[in-house]
Structures are given as C-alpha cells and as structure tokens.
Amino acid sequence: MATIQWSDDLSVHIPSIDRQHQTLIKLINKLDQAIRNGNGKMVLKVILTELTRYTQVHFIYEEALFDMHGYTESENHKKAHEKLFERVEYFNKELNKHHDDIYDELLAFLNDWLYSHILKQDMAYSKHLVDHGAE
C-alpha cells in the first residue's frame, strides 16, 4: 500500500474534524510502514490501542456537532459509527487471541474507512455543519 498523503480532497472543511482525520491517516501510514519494515507485530497492539481511542473521541466529537447543529441524518451516521467501532473491537479481540496475521485485513479495513466513510459519509454532513458554523 502506498503512503497516504493528506489533500484538500479529504477535507470536510471543518478544521477540528480534518485534524482528527489526519490522525487516522497517520495511524494507517504508521502501521503500513511497520509492516513493510517487518515490525508489524511489534506496533500492531499500540496502533490498535490508538485506533480504539481515536474512534471513541472522534465519534463522540462528530456526534456532538451533529446534535449542536441539527444535522438531520445524524442517526444514520451514528449507526455507521457503531459499525466501525464494532470492527475496531473485532481487531482488538483477534489480536488478544494472538492472531497476529491480521495486518492485511486491518489495512484493508482502515483504507476502506478512510475512503468510504470519510469521503462519502462524512462529506455528506460537511456543507450542513459548515453552513451552521462548525469549526
């Protein structure tokens, strides 16, 4: 997998959320680099811990913005967050069972998350939140 570079195409035009999305990109790149260097096993637990924390904080933050700014599709988006968090929990459980061979599956999931969730679902709220003053 190629290193993912932040670009304006990934921006939802809400600086606080863009910074959080950049954190996800850093985690994906960190895992990818570790795997390429043969160190995936050593950093996988650390990255999954960071990813779990990231998802909790990020989803709570986004959902608070939805509520604050009256985003009408918030329930559907919250359900998508629940599914994504369940998937992160799956990877944590697999790692705790000593299934260290989940690198490719995890990277595929993270890439899908980045490109499917952020570029499609998150872009759907962007205009509404920006128009209502979200920063």
Side-chain angles (χ1 to χ4, degrees), residues 13 30-31 40 50 56-57 62-65 75 81 83 85 90 92 101 107-109 111-112 116 119 131:
H13 307 290
K30 185 176 179 181
L31 179 61
E50 289 179 46
Q56 291 170 332
V57 170
E62 262 189 4
E63 291 170 10
L65 286 178
E75 286 308 311
H81 283 172
K83 288 181 182 178
F85 191 75
Y90 158 79
N92 273 312
D101 58 346
L107 279 174
F109 162 71
N111 273 298
D112 181 63
S116 294
L119 289 176
D131 288 349

Side-chain angles (χ1 to χ4, degrees), residues 11 16-17 24 26 34 41 43 51 56 60-62 71-76 86 90 106 110 117 119 125 127-128 134:
S11 177
S16 57
I17 293 178
L24 176 61
K26 288 176 187 172
K41 187 174 182 175
V43 300
L51 184 60
Q56 291 170 332
I60 289 168
Y61 183 82
E62 262 189 4
Y71 181 55
T72 58
E73 293 297 315
S74 67
E75 286 308 311
N76 288 333
E86 287 170 7
Y90 158 79
L106 178 58
L110 292 172
H117 185 75
L119 289 176
Y125 68 62
K127 181 171 177 13
H128 177 85

Side-chain angles (χ1 to χ4, degrees), residues 66-125:
F66 297 162
D67 294 342
M68 187 183 315
H69 298 292
Y71 181 55
T72 58
E73 293 297 315
S74 67
E75 286 308 311
N76 288 333
H77 203 101
K78 288 176 184 180
K79 288 178 185 172
H81 283 172
E82 289 172 21
K83 288 181 182 178
L84 288 169
F85 191 75
E86 287 170 7
R87 193 74 173 139
V88 170
E89 286 299 301
Y90 158 79
F91 286 111
N92 273 312
K93 288 177 186 171
E94 289 301 299
L95 186 61
N96 287 334
K97 293 179 191 174
H98 305 290
H99 293 172
D100 299 331
D101 58 346
I102 61 173
Y103 309 128
D104 292 337
E105 186 181 0
L106 178 58
L107 279 174
F109 162 71
L110 292 172
N111 273 298
D112 181 63
W113 181 355
L114 179 70
Y115 291 108
S116 294
H117 185 75
I118 293 174
L119 289 176
K120 293 178 184 164
Q121 293 175 317
D122 285 359
M123 290 299 179
Y125 68 62

Side-chain angles (χ1 to χ4, degrees), residues 1 20 27 32-33 42 44 64 99 116 120 128-130:
M1 183 182 96
Q20 291 175 12
L27 289 172
D32 182 55
Q33 187 64 44
M42 290 190 303
L44 186 58
H99 293 172
S116 294
K120 293 178 184 164
H128 177 85
L129 294 184
V130 168

